[in-house]
Amino acid sequence: MNVAKAQAREAGAEPLGPGRNSGEGERGAETDTAAVGQTKAEVSRLMEAVVERSNLWSAYQKVVRNGGAPGVDGLTVGSFKDWLTVHWPSVKAALLEGRYLPTAVRAVDIPKPSGGVRTLGIPTVLDRLIQQALLQILQPIVETTFSESSYGFRPGRSAHQAVLAAKRYVQEGRGWVVDIDLEKFFDRVNHDILMSRVARHVTDDRVLKLIRRYLEAGLMRDGVIEARDMGTPQGGPLSPLLSNILLTDWDRELEKRGHTFCRYADDCNIYVRSQAAGQGVMARMTVFLQERLKLRVNEAKSACARPWERKFLGYTLTRQREIVRLRVAPESVKRLTTRICELMRKGRGRRLAHTIEALNLVLRGWFGYFQLSESKQVWKDLDGWLRRRLRCLIWRQAKTRQRRTALLRKRGLREDRAWHSGHNGQGPWWNAGASHMNAAFPKIFFDRCQLVSLTDASGRLQCHL
């Protein structure tokens, strides 16, 4: 095989000579094209917009900025520019001629907080670039067709807007929520149904064929490629948009029936005024999803209940004297404390400053998301628990009674109190909550160490509102 053909095959395309059949098994090549027997005027020009220079450059910058692990070909983001310089002409030709075949995605199983695993599909860097370029062209086309009650993975929309809308619906008197959980949604997407919805907006056969190939790209696990005839693994830039396109039919059905709801990807809450109404909605939507979209409702995780008995996007609601407030769901607090415990275990042999630096990254991100909580107690409880965990770490690192006594003396405790506290024989957690450690390492000590205080952050936020 000559060098040109070898490079073309690596790039996902092979030039087709006269009378030559490349074979369906060749990676990135296919004998037929979308434009066979048609003039340029008869073919939609959407693919030309996808590979247009400015669109590709914008997509490339986003892929590089997002980083991420390599796909099955092992090509990293850092090496991608040099690879692209050599191979992009043949990839572009394959895309324009409808011959491009995506590479299999690398399967990565991520444990779910509620049990089980979520399978992520990590595409190659090249396929991430092409999917991002597709997304940038398709998003403006389909965005105007989406529901106002859909908040997930859309420009200018966020989870915060969704939970604020949920709060407003409950405040207006809708005291029951139909919380519908779709069972393994991303694993069960029906390709034919999804493509029929995509075809409502896209007339370029090359683009439709490419999206279908991305849906059907194999899933590589432990070196073995599994064929896929349903589902769209999370991990690629295009997956969230495709999920919104599919679930728009559900949004329109809810709107047609006059329901108020909030949907974020496959997480949907419908707000009604009575339990009977909620049970009726649950039954009708279960049938609709099964028959129209071939999706299954997870009955074990779905329910018609009071809003304060359910969580939505990590938040829950409380109502006191007819006032509805947002607060962090207990499950979200538990996930944070579990994450902090993992970091603290890693920090036992490290400097306190290094551990606090790692904790601050988690705390800032967590507070940034849960800043809408109107319950101050959760911040106080978490701050107190975290400082006790750090005092426990300090106590463990001191190791011996003599070193603990010297540490307490150094931190300002009287000689007799430092000696008795350092020799009390109690465990690290007990000592971390005792008065001598609180006196030696008060809040101001951790403030000077620049530990993020959730209570202080909440107070500063309220001052700016």
Side-chain angles (χ1 to χ4, degrees):
M1 182 183 297
N2 61 34
V3 175
K5 288 184 178 179
Q7 290 180 346
R9 287 198 177 191
E10 280 186 338
E14 181 182 358
L16 300 179
R20 177 185 173 93
N21 187 340
S22 67
E24 183 64 24
E26 292 291 332
R27 177 186 173 215
E30 186 177 88
T31 56
D32 60 331
T33 69
V36 171
Q38 292 181 313
T39 66
K40 286 187 178 180
E42 294 171 325
V43 178
S44 172
R45 307 286 292 179
L46 201 59
M47 186 62 83
E48 279 73 10
V50 171
V51 301
E52 192 268 329
R53 185 179 182 84
S54 62
N55 185 57
L56 257 297
W57 175 243
S58 175
Y60 172 81
Q61 290 178 310
K62 289 180 181 177
V63 168
V64 171
R65 186 165 58 248
N66 291 337
V72 298
D73 60 356
L75 183 65
T76 64
V77 172
S79 306
F80 186 45
K81 185 176 182 179
D82 292 337
W83 187 96
L84 205 59
T85 302
V86 175
H87 299 297
W88 176 247
S90 55
V91 174
K92 180 179 178 180
L95 289 168
L96 290 173
E97 295 169 15
R99 296 185 288 107
Y100 181 81
L101 295 180
T103 309
V105 297
R106 182 166 63 87
V108 177
D109 292 328
I110 307 296
K112 289 183 178 181
S114 56
V117 296
R118 174 183 289 108
T119 299
L120 298 183
I122 309 299
T124 63
V125 186
L126 173 61
D127 283 325
R128 296 208 291 269
L129 172 70
I130 297 171
Q131 287 193 35
Q132 180 64 41
L134 274 169
L135 173 67
Q136 291 170 180
I137 296 301
L138 294 178
Q139 184 92 52
I141 295 173
V142 300
E143 178 65 26
T144 56
T145 68
F146 291 158
S147 168
E148 286 297 312
S149 298
S150 168
Y151 296 90
F153 309 108
R154 296 179 59 189
R157 289 177 168 262
S158 66
H160 282 177
Q161 292 174 333
V163 296
L164 288 172
K167 174 188 173 181
R168 184 174 70 253
Y169 295 148
V170 176
Q171 186 70 65
E172 290 172 351
R174 297 174 177 85
W176 292 84
V177 59
V178 181
D179 185 355
I180 296 182
D181 181 87
L182 297 179
E183 185 175 320
K184 297 182 178 179
F185 168 71
F186 285 95
D187 297 332
R188 297 185 182 276
V189 170
N190 183 289
H191 290 174
D192 291 335
I193 293 177
L194 173 56
M195 289 308 302
S196 70
R197 273 55 179 177
V198 176
R200 294 173 180 172
H201 313 285
V202 176
T203 57
D204 191 323
D205 288 342
R206 297 165 298 176
V207 173
L208 292 172
K209 188 182 291 187
L210 180 60
I211 293 174
R212 167 75 77 163
R213 287 170 181 163
Y214 274 122
L215 292 173
E216 295 176 348
L219 195 66
M220 180 175 284
R221 194 189 304 271
D222 299 325
V224 179
I225 297 179
E226 306 169 6
R228 289 192 295 134
D229 57 5
M230 64 187 303
T232 169
Q234 301 174 73
L238 205 54
S239 183
L241 179 68
L242 295 179
S243 69
N244 275 333
I245 291 174
L246 178 65
L247 292 175
T248 293
D249 277 15
W250 187 17
D251 297 340
R252 297 309 179 199
E253 180 68 15
L254 289 168
E255 290 171 346
K256 185 176 72 174
R257 294 175 178 272
H259 296 305
T260 54
F261 65 97
C262 300
R263 183 177 65 78
Y264 193 95
D266 59 326
D267 197 348
C268 184
N269 278 6
I270 307 161
Y271 296 89
V272 295
R273 297 183 183 276
S274 70
Q275 184 177 19
Q279 291 172 342
V281 170
M282 176 71 77
R284 288 189 292 272
M285 290 303 105
T286 299
V287 173
F288 174 84
L289 291 165
Q290 176 65 40
E291 294 184 353
R292 288 280 297 276
L293 301 180
K294 305 301 180 186
L295 298 173
R296 187 180 302 171
V297 173
N298 188 332
E299 296 182 2
K301 295 183 178 180
S302 302
C304 172
R306 292 292 193 178
W308 32 94
E309 297 172 357
R310 308 295 293 180
K311 66 181 180 69
F312 180 52
L313 301 178
Y315 284 87
T316 189
L317 293 165
T318 61
R319 186 167 69 179
Q320 297 176 339
R321 298 178 181 177
E322 304 304 317
I323 298 175
V324 177
R325 290 187 173 91
L326 285 168
R327 69 180 179 89
V328 184
E331 296 90 339
S332 301
V333 175
K334 184 177 180 180
R335 283 199 292 273
L336 174 66
T337 56
T338 300
R339 175 64 176 143
I340 288 175
C341 287
E342 291 173 356
L343 289 173
M344 299 292 279
R345 280 193 290 271
K346 295 177 182 177
R348 288 183 182 178
R350 298 175 179 175
R351 294 183 300 107
L352 182 65
H354 186 282
T355 301
I356 288 177
E357 184 179 349
L359 288 171
N360 283 345
L361 291 174
V362 175
L363 293 170
R364 288 192 185 101
W366 196 83
F367 179 78
Y369 182 77
F370 287 106
Q371 61 181 284
L372 297 181
S373 175
E374 297 167 279
S375 170
K376 296 180 181 179
Q377 192 61 44
V378 67
W379 311 130
K380 294 178 182 178
D381 292 344
L382 282 170
D383 280 341
W385 176 84
L386 179 57
R387 288 193 291 269
R388 185 172 180 178
R389 291 289 309 187
L390 288 169
R391 294 185 188 108
C392 184
L393 179 64
I394 293 170
W395 186 266
R396 286 180 184 277
Q397 288 179 337
K399 293 185 179 179
T400 66
R401 293 180 177 183
Q402 291 75 17
R403 291 175 64 181
R404 288 164 180 165
T405 299
L407 176 65
L408 292 173
R409 189 188 305 117
K410 182 180 178 181
R411 291 295 307 162
L413 268 65
R414 298 190 317 272
E415 179 72 28
D416 59 333
R417 188 182 183 191
W419 190 92
H420 284 293
S421 299
H423 289 72
N424 61 34
Q426 298 290 340
W429 186 246
W430 184 91
N431 277 282
S435 61
H436 55 269
M437 284 296 284
N438 277 273
F441 298 95
K443 178 181 181 298
I444 192 172
F445 168 83
F446 295 106
D447 289 343
R448 289 170 180 166
C449 293
Q450 298 184 331
L451 175 69
V452 168
S453 167
L454 299 175
T455 304
D456 292 349
S458 176
R460 287 192 297 270
L461 180 66
Q462 293 302 317
C463 289
H464 290 297
L465 293 179

